[in-house]
Amino acid sequence: MISNILLYTMIAAVISFALGQKLKAVRWSFSALFLGYVGFQLYGLYGQWGMVETHNIFSLGSINFSLNFGITKLGWFFAFFTTIINIMIWIFSIVKNMNEKEERGINFLWILLAGSNLAIFFSVDWITFFIAWEIMTWTSFFIITPGWKNSFKAANWYFILSMFGAYAMLVGIWWLYATPAIHTLNIASSIALLAKLSITAPGTVGIIIALFVLSFFAKSAVFPFHPWPAEAHAEAPDDFSPYLSGIMIKYGLYGILLFIVPLFIQIMKVNPNIAMVNGIPVYSYILAWFGAITAVLGTYLAIVSNDMKKLAAYSTVSNIGYAVTSMFILSSAGVTGGLFHVVNHAVFKSAIFLSLGAVKFRTHEREMHKLGGLATKMPITFLTFLLGIIAAAGIPPLNGYASKWIIYQALLSGHFPFLTTMIFLASTGAFLYLFRALHSIFLGQLPRKFNNVKEVPFLMQIPMILGILSMLGIGYAPGIVLKPIGLAVKAMGLTPMTVENTLMVGKLSSINTAVVSSTFIGAFFFAFAFYLIGKKRHHVEPLDNYTAGQDPEEFGLTPELYHFALKFYEPVKNIFRPIEEKLNIKNYYRALVRNANSFGATLSEMFKLSGAGSSMIFVLGLVVIILAGWML
Amino acid sequence: MIVLKFIGYGFTAIIIGLLFMGIGRKYTARIQRRYGPPFWQAFIDVTKLFSKQSLSHNWIMDFGILMGFAGIVGTILFMPIGPWHFFSLMNGNIVIIMYFMTIGSLGMAMGVSASGNPNSTIGISRALTLMVGYEIPFVIAVIGLIFVSKSSLLGTMVSLQSGGIMNWNIIKYPFGFIAVEMALQAMLGEKPFDVITAPSEIASGPMVELSGKMMGLAFLQHAAQIFLETGIVVNLFLGGANNIWEFFLKQFVLFILSLTVNAISPRFKFEDAVKWLWTWPTVFALIQLLIIILT
Amino acid sequence: MIQSTFFYTTAIILFLIGLYGVLTKRNVIKTIITLTIMETAVNLFLVTIGYVKNGTAPIFTSTISDVHKFVDPLPQALVLTSIVIGLGTTALMLSLAIRLYKKYKTLNYLEMDGEDEK
Amino acid sequence: MKSNYAVLLIAIPLLVAFLQPLFSLINKRLTKWVTFLTIGFNFIYSLKLLNYVMANGAQIAIIGNWKPPFGINLYLSPFSMLFATIIYFVALIVLLVYLIDKPTEVDDRMSIATLLMVMASGAITLTGDIFNMFVFVEILSISTVILISFNNKGISFKGAFRYIVLASLGSSMLLLAIGFIYGSLGTLNLASIAYRFNLLNPVYASVIVFLFMAGIMVEAELFPFNAWVPEAYKGSKSYLNALLSGVVGTTGIYVLFRMFITIFGSGQNHIQVIGSVNFNAVIIVIGVLTTLIGEFSALSQKDIKKILAFSSMAQMGIIAVTIGVANMNSINAGIFHLINHAFSKSLLFIVAFPIINIVGSANIDKWEGLGRKNIFLAIAFAIGSFGLIGIPFFNGFWSKMMIVESVVSAGGWMYLVIGTILLSALVETFYFFRIIFKLFVDKKIESTYSVHIFIYLAILILSIIVIYIGIKPSFLATYIHKAAIDLVDKSHYISTVLGVIK
């Protein structure tokens, strides 16, 4: 069944490629419909846990390569939710690609990506996982590159870090396999065996975990890999950014949930002499700190960026940070919170990126200070963005707060005061950049060149409206998502949290989301009553404004000049400047690339020596080899 | 019934808040050797504002202001006011309160920045940055309290402090209280942290473009905010109250304390305000937290 | 035995001379000459392997039937082949030298610049 | 004895090569076709022989009825036949392009050189005599030099000259090694060398192996003996570079495999080269250095031929590592990777040929927008690079997986080795993706060059192979499996050639 779905995906990709350059609308609608079909099929697969399909590829020597697909609770959950979000995004890109220039073969790659997306979640052995992982990496590279003008550089940030991670994972996989006590490629059994091995050989297990963690962190842009989303998400095509930010960056988290977290849980169960902090292994604690650092760093970088897509990308980084921190708490609430936040983030961040895509679709502008006042022109887009940032900031009654609440529950009940503080700092900082984006794009003065901007076409509004609905829906009744999460958490060997549709029960307190939502509505009506009491309001033009008594026309005031958006948080930047200059990871990476280039250039000069020179290398090399050989 | 209760809560908060504001103006005036307005001046102002015509640039402005006010009023419902609980105690969760409160800030921010005046936007950017400043010490202090009371419910915290003044958290955890009191000064936007409005710099900041009932709603929001923020601190450190009058009294004490500081302080430069909040109160809060963890 | 040591030593000395030339000479022709010297050294070495003092040609005749007196014929065959190959190589190298000279008007390898990038 | 006819694989090309001047009297283009047909015959016949030895086990072909160890014999085994077949195949595909390349004055002479080169490579894989091998190596390098210098550019002569200098140095070493072997063991037959090699004084054996290594690593493009690589590749025509890497390089590595594993190897489960030196470690270090230098040098280059040259060098380094690791899995992986590399790299070189003609430059910066002009070539280039980088479901993926597996399972300092190799692979991935990206950039290219159908045909065949191996590697796996067993089984080699030893 799973293999059939994947096969159909391949076929669909080929069909889309074969449709040719002219039938753009057909192709994109076809692929969106196809994805809908896949979603439907996936829904039907719910409950068939433990089903495994094996396809042998070849065996040579002592290794047998085969593709194994199976349905795990976690995998199904991810597959289903990502597919749903994917459908939303694809509906958006139908219009986008019909109205803008479409790169040849992009749709083909999109479908392949969707297929590898499923394959990642359905693979039950490491080889399959790695294959799906690789395909996902390179297809996304090619989807990112035709984006904006610096897209190649941006895609390289993503690609090199990702490939670095993938190779780390490759070594990890084979290390697992080469360890005599494990010698399996099956994911589930490797977890159990590794946990046992941790008693006798903690060093090996530690290194293997480190290799996998490198890979997952690189993919999910956890510190110190955080620079890539800002580059890649920002430069990617506008309809692909939601996918990158909503789904792609979650693969690393999926990997963590698939492998690292269950492994730690197992180790805690079977290994009595592991070093613990606050009831969790030290490793896990350290990794949780990585998450916290990511959260704060992402927030700071989002605050100081002026590019709207970069801002949203850094926001993604910081949200990933919350999820990572929460997962590595290893408690039931922690894992649930992390997982739930992943879903919520996928929903609201896709909504945010979709609305940004819509803004860009109409204005072709990306730097925030050049925009402004679009709220009245594009109300649906504005509303999507507004609700998106409310959710992102974790403000009730939208979905973001439900997961943040669980994360705080986990952190507080596990007694992690400093982690909590970091997360809270990041979370509060989120208001800064989110509001900044809201203001600079949608509020304030409308530049005159955008006077004729219209709302995006209805087909583009559909996914945004869907986004709004799902944010509201999950916020009102988080139980609909938390129940399947509970299944996945239970499969990891934890007791799932007690949840009902609108009730979440934590250790420190419980919360009824319906109550929260209705409180907000009630309060709004209360305020509205006051509003009605007051005398009727009077509408004036935006530029008819307080100017300290000056006549605007006298000193040539334009909406562009009267829109405060550039260097919005200069004070914050000033506060952090001393630290920022010292700790710029990006510069470090740049230097690395530069050095690699000059290293290569130096080496290649060796091949331009004279004939005597190359003979010299020959002979000297031989002498050195002989001498070294005798030493070894 | 529940609607009436709701309205009752809302009006209590507003009235007490406005009363505090009025008394506060009088008190400040007396400290500064002025006569000052009567203590019911705030009520007069609000009534006047609601009866005047207001200017609005677009619907978002109205919506934002409404949301701001609604956010604060909604948050008050989660807070136990002495013996009064709007919901069952289960819902009075400090995390929810802190996040619900931000609806107010966000709404206000959205409303005034929709007006398109750079002064108000600068004010908002300052307000949000300052929020990061004061929430850190506040949160660290609160985390300590959550650890000792093993619950994040305000109600539970209050009940743990019952039985005499020696059980109050202000006595048990004085450093935490100092941190929170410093943060409260910034929360209320009083000097030396009145960088948000800063009339002489940015023409009252957020309020610059508000008029009529918009201004009235903003006024009410401020009143409710005073009530809410002092109320939280009362619940956290002053042992709550057995009856509402005691509660109001404690709030009033806190408010007067902050007004006193306000009346005699100059204003911080903006960056310095944030830095100051991240040094002194944060250090106090951390000391408190370490004491709690290590004992 | 003295003689074969002498030959071995000569071979090694020649080889080192050749090597020195290859490593230090920038002139194409000189490089070719030194390479040829090296080849000669190796050939000498090979012949010496099969050399037997006072030996005879490895042909059974009525007068000579002592197998131990025979010079090993195989190295000689090898050397013959190697000489032929060496000849071919040298010719090829010389023709390349001519072409190089025509292109660059110099025989110094280091002065052959330009035309690197198309 | 059917297998004795295997001599035809060497004899016929040699004969045809000498007859080429006669053909050129009729028409110079005819010589190209003759060359093509001859190699075609070789390919078909070697394929047949391959299947024969796959079914019936290794055979020997005796020349002139002199039984080994006295006479010269050819050794036909799955390993040697597999590589002979692949070499002939690659040559055949390259000749397809050669056929339609624009006629020049030197067509006849070029045909001779090509024929000799391919013949020599094939003969090296088949021969069972070390001196014979030396002679063919010499023929190989001489004919390669001739081929390079036909391009008639300054850099071709420079490259050719550099190559011949290094090759002469190398062949001196090789000859010295042969002299030592003969002086100590009194035989030139590979099987009897293999039989008695472990009887040698270890220090003496080490000297032999070192000299041999230096000699053959020139052809195998391994550092520090590979200074000729970039200039020679740059100097010759792009499709002929496919011969340089697909035939010369492959042959060099073949010899390394055969000599280090079967002849000089210990013949145990984990094969160690005999001698007082840890040669396995030496080879691994050489391989790693080559990979590192190759990939990083390629990173800094703009010229496609140089990039591909450095890349082939690096791949040879990776394969050398598998020789050094020398457990069963690594040998499998090495053989597999060598085959994959031969196909992918030939594809890349052949695709580069029409692209250079269309764009008018080998500089990759000028390649921008080729995908708009000719999508087929762009996709083929992408396929070739994917095969080389090891994207899943392209051929290189499986062999790279196996290499990583085998090296990691060796443990110890191999983690460092695999780390370096993967770092280099990362660099390789980067620069190939850079080129592919450039191909698909939206830019207009003006060109009147029309690509001949034969080029398309060659590209198509290789692309299909690259993808087919990627999707269904199992068909190749049976060959590789037998080849590896043949390679490792030293006693079988000896007994097949020399008969049962009492």
Side-chain angles (χ1 to χ4, degrees), chain D residues 66-287:
Chain D
W66 288 83
K67 286 245 168 58
F70 306 108
I72 291 171
N73 68 292
L74 300 185
Y75 183 68
L76 314 175
S77 67
F79 182 61
S80 54
M81 284 322 296
L82 181 62
F83 274 93
T85 314
I86 284 164
I87 285 168
Y88 292 137
F89 179 74
V90 169
L92 196 65
I93 299 288
V94 174
L95 286 174
L96 211 54
V97 184
Y98 172 65
L99 280 179
I100 54 89
D101 193 18
K102 58 179 185 293
T104 56
E105 276 293 294
V106 289
D107 271 352
D108 50 340
R109 280 163 275 171
M110 235 170 127
S111 302
I112 298 175
T114 317
L115 208 48
L116 284 178
M117 177 184 175
V118 177
M119 180 279 298
S121 303
I124 290 170
T125 61
L126 297 176
T127 184
D129 183 285
I130 197 166
F131 190 72
N132 219 336
M133 188 184 274
F134 164 76
V135 173
F136 284 126
V137 167
E138 282 294 284
I139 296 177
L140 180 63
S141 45
I142 289 174
S143 51
T144 311
V145 167
I146 295 172
L147 261 188
I148 296 167
S149 58
F150 272 136
N151 204 15
N152 213 5
K153 290 204 180 77
I155 187 133
S156 329
F157 298 133
K158 271 166 85 177
F161 187 73
R162 196 192 294 275
Y163 183 38
I164 192 94
V165 169
L166 289 179
S168 304
L169 265 178
S171 64
S172 301
M173 305 285 173
L174 208 55
L175 201 57
L176 270 179
I178 291 170
F180 280 128
I181 288 174
Y182 185 74
S184 55
L185 296 176
T187 178
L188 291 174
N189 188 292
L190 283 177
S192 34
I193 294 170
Y195 182 49
R196 280 185 277 174
F197 200 73
N198 56 353
L199 303 177
L200 280 178
N201 172 1
V203 177
Y204 201 69
S206 307
V207 172
I208 292 174
V209 176
F210 269 128
L211 290 174
F212 195 89
M213 195 167 80
I216 205 63
M217 278 184 180
V218 177
E219 317 290 329
E221 303 180 3
L222 291 175
F223 184 80
F225 313 107
N226 58 358
W228 59 275
V229 170
E231 276 191 358
Y233 276 77
K234 172 83 184 99
S236 77
K237 282 192 171 165
S238 175
Y239 64 91
L240 291 175
N241 285 342
L243 285 183
L244 280 186
S245 110
V247 173
V248 180
T250 310
T251 313
I253 291 287
Y254 170 89
V255 177
L256 277 185
F257 260 118
R258 180 55 97 192
M259 298 304 285
F260 282 71
I261 305 284
T262 319
I263 312 295
F264 300 150
S266 60
Q268 266 124 28
N269 197 16
H270 173 76
I271 290 145
Q272 296 228 294
V273 178
I274 290 163
S276 59
V277 172
N278 184 354
F279 275 104
N280 293 50
V282 169
I283 299 169
I284 290 172
V285 170
I286 288 177

Side-chain angles (χ1 to χ4, degrees), chain B residues 108-216:
Chain B
M108 179 53 108
M110 187 169 81
V112 301
S113 79
S115 68
N117 193 308
N119 287 319
S120 59
T121 320
I122 292 171
I124 292 300
S125 100
R126 288 178 170 198
L128 291 171
T129 316
L130 195 66
M131 189 167 89
V132 180
Y134 63 69
E135 289 222 333
I136 295 308
F138 186 75
V139 161
I140 297 175
V142 168
I143 289 171
L145 292 186
I146 291 175
F147 282 1
V148 289
S149 49
K150 297 196 173 49
S151 166
S152 57
L153 295 178
L154 278 181
T156 317
M157 290 185 190
V158 170
S159 61
L160 281 173
Q161 296 176 57
S162 61
I165 197 166
M166 290 315 284
N167 272 343
W168 288 6
N169 285 341
I170 185 173
I171 305 295
K172 288 201 281 191
Y173 310 109
F175 289 110
F177 177 74
I178 292 170
V180 167
E181 179 56 33
M182 287 170 170
L184 183 69
Q185 192 73 12
M187 276 186 186
L188 293 172
E190 303 289 1
K191 279 176 188 157
F193 301 107
D194 65 336
V195 286
I196 303 168
T197 43
S200 49
E201 274 178 57
I202 49 172
S204 291
M207 258 76 87
V208 66
E209 206 48 28
L210 300 181
S211 56
K213 64 181 175 184
M214 303 290 173
M215 189 65 185

Side-chain angles (χ1 to χ4, degrees), chain B residues 15-31 35-43 248 252 255-256 259:
Chain B
I15 288 166
I16 298 292
L18 287 176
L19 204 59
F20 280 11
M21 280 167 80
I23 297 170
R25 284 169 76 176
K26 188 88 184 166
Y27 178 76
T28 314
R30 281 299 155 89
I31 288 181
Y35 185 72
F39 70 89
W40 59 84
Q41 181 64 37
F43 294 97
F248 296 155
F252 187 67
F255 185 64
I256 286 296
L259 273 186

Side-chain angles (χ1 to χ4, degrees), chain C residues 39-103:
Chain C
E39 273 168 21
T40 316
V42 176
N43 289 343
L44 182 59
F45 176 78
L46 281 181
V47 173
T48 317
I49 288 171
Y51 181 75
V52 177
K53 199 182 174 189
N54 299 328
T56 57
I59 303 166
F60 286 105
T61 57
S62 51
T63 53
I64 303 162
S65 57
D66 183 3
V67 182
H68 299 288
K69 279 281 178 193
F70 282 178
V71 174
D72 190 346
L74 203 64
Q76 297 180 358
L78 299 192
V79 167
L80 273 180
T81 320
S82 143
I83 286 171
V84 172
I85 291 171
L87 178 72
T89 317
T90 313
L92 184 61
M93 284 198 281
L94 285 171
S95 67
L96 275 177
I98 294 169
R99 299 305 278 274
L100 279 172
Y101 185 76
K102 277 186 181 164
K103 270 277 183 246

